[in-house]
Amino acid sequence: MAAPLHKRVKRAVRSALLRAAIRLLSYLPLSAALALGAAVGRLAWWIAPRERRLMLRHLALAFPEKTDEERSAIARASLVHLGMVALEVVAIGRSGVAIDEYVSFAPGSEEVVRRAMARGKGLIFVAGHIGNWELLARRLALVTQPNAVIAKRNADARLNELVERFRAQGGNKTLWREDPATGRELIKLFRQGGALGILIDQDTRVQGVFVPFFGELAFTPRAVGDLALRFGATVVVGTSHRRGPKRGEGHELDVVEVPYDQAAPDPQAEVARLTAACSALQEAAIRRHPVEWVWMHERWKTRPPAGVSQAKEMPKSQGLSSA
């Protein structure tokens, strides 16, 4: 059923304004874009009370040992960071800044990626909304081709086109979850030894498993494990963080390989274990840089069935017993 006319008009106007703003802001120098993004983030603390409450509630769950003042400071800084991320993405294309200089690999991380690609079975790059995930994908695409990311379409087709074009300019093909052809595209990508980026740090309407995240079970997409066991691709977790206190110092990309047993006697348990290992690495990155994650997202919204225990229901193999 089509949405009512007034809602369609509202969406069309909002979309047109947003696209016009993106075009205009793309001409800003990167330093000015970062400064504007930080200002918008500071303003958001005062004009978005619902998001502020969610952030503080989630931070209390994740960091019960911190004081209210410490958690409030993290939440404020996180909004500033997210404002900078948004404007950074908008302005980077015309900035003249070389992406391989603005986003650098941490020592040893690029070698992890290149070794994985050299195996020829493909690479599953597990990411999250940590640091600047869009620039992370652009940097990765310089050493992993062919390259694609999985995403969910929103209701605005023109914004989807804008996102798809931005990613394509950075060497990343967008595979939409809703498209019937995406399954065939995935098979083709892995047969070519390409790389696939998947975000797993949000509670979304996909097949998933419950794994520990900051001491609570969180419903987490399981596609990484399913694809890894099917195609034998190397699995790595990548996170980025800002290199320094100054706004224009760019980002550093950390990459860790996560081993798994493709011939595990219990594939479902191996998928759960692999998913838990990837989530644990993301949690560790967020703990190191807590202001660089999206604390307003309702990560623990879906609750596990009664009787599910994070200690007993997460089987581990010897290879990842310490992950």
Side-chain angles (χ1 to χ4, degrees):
M1 178 183 294
L5 178 60
H6 72 280
K7 286 190 175 182
R8 287 185 307 215
V9 171
K10 183 178 179 181
R11 288 174 184 171
V13 171
R14 183 172 56 196
S15 173
L17 290 174
L18 180 57
R19 286 182 284 112
I22 290 173
R23 283 195 296 270
L24 181 63
L25 293 170
S26 70
Y27 288 95
L28 282 176
L30 186 57
S31 59
L34 289 167
L36 178 60
V40 170
R42 285 191 290 271
L43 179 63
W45 178 258
W46 301 106
I47 66 174
R50 178 182 178 276
E51 285 70 23
R52 182 174 67 236
R53 288 192 296 270
L54 283 172
M55 295 178 81
L56 293 175
R57 189 176 80 203
H58 297 154
L59 281 161
L61 186 153
F63 297 111
E65 74 282 4
K66 294 186 181 295
T67 65
D68 290 344
E69 291 74 18
E70 288 172 325
R71 292 193 289 263
S72 180
I74 292 172
R76 287 171 181 258
S78 178
L79 287 173
V80 170
H81 164 73
L82 288 173
M84 291 168 62
V85 164
L87 272 293
E88 201 170 36
V89 169
V90 168
I92 196 73
R94 298 180 187 271
S95 68
V97 172
I99 193 69
D100 58 342
E101 295 178 1
Y102 196 68
V103 183
S104 60
F105 281 98
S109 288
E110 184 173 358
E111 288 72 20
V112 171
V113 176
R114 291 190 181 277
R115 283 197 301 269
M117 294 299 291
R119 292 170 190 151
K121 290 190 174 183
L123 172 70
I124 300 174
F125 195 91
V126 183
H129 297 82
I130 307 166
N132 191 320
W133 53 96
E134 291 289 349
L135 297 189
L136 175 155
R138 281 200 166 201
R139 182 64 181 90
L140 181 70
L142 296 180
V143 292
T144 58
Q145 287 296 331
N147 202 76
V149 296
I150 291 182
K152 182 182 183 300
R153 279 195 173 97
N154 63 49
D156 191 326
R158 291 188 176 182
L159 285 180
N160 289 331
E161 292 171 4
L162 193 64
V163 169
E164 190 170 5
R165 186 163 60 250
F166 170 81
R167 289 175 177 159
Q169 290 169 351
N172 290 284
K173 182 176 182 178
T174 302
L175 302 179
W176 300 107
R177 279 203 323 241
E178 303 82 359
D179 285 359
T182 290
R184 294 191 298 273
E185 292 286 343
L186 287 174
I187 294 172
K188 179 181 177 182
L189 181 70
F190 285 116
R191 284 178 176 172
Q192 292 174 333
L196 177 70
I198 304 179
L199 298 164
I200 70 162
D201 66 330
Q202 293 199 336
D203 188 333
T204 56
R205 293 182 179 181
V206 296
Q207 291 186 342
V209 292
F210 287 96
V211 302
F213 190 68
F214 284 95
E216 295 285 337
L217 288 180
F219 187 73
T220 305
R222 57 175 290 160
V224 170
D226 289 333
L227 291 171
L229 266 63
R230 178 177 179 183
F231 294 105
T234 300
V235 174
V236 301
V237 173
T239 57
S240 71
H241 60 89
R242 294 194 181 275
R243 281 200 295 243
K246 294 182 180 180
R247 290 174 184 154
E249 292 186 354
H251 304 261
E252 184 172 81
L253 171 56
D254 291 288
V255 183
V256 178
E257 182 174 345
V258 186
Y260 64 93
D261 182 2
Q262 191 180 8
D266 186 344
Q268 298 302 314
E270 185 67 0
V271 167
R273 189 202 57 75
L274 179 56
T275 306
C278 292
S279 184
L281 287 168
Q282 291 187 333
E283 178 185 328
I286 295 167
R287 287 185 180 277
R288 290 193 298 270
H289 306 282
V291 304
E292 297 195 38
W293 192 58
V294 287
W295 289 102
M296 72 283 296
H297 174 67
E298 296 187 76
R299 185 67 184 91
W300 300 272
K301 176 177 59 178
T302 303
R303 302 313 306 147
V308 173
S309 164
Q310 63 185 40
K312 296 180 180 179
E313 300 297 326
M314 291 296 111
K316 291 183 178 181
S317 69
Q318 186 175 1
L320 270 181
S321 60
S322 61

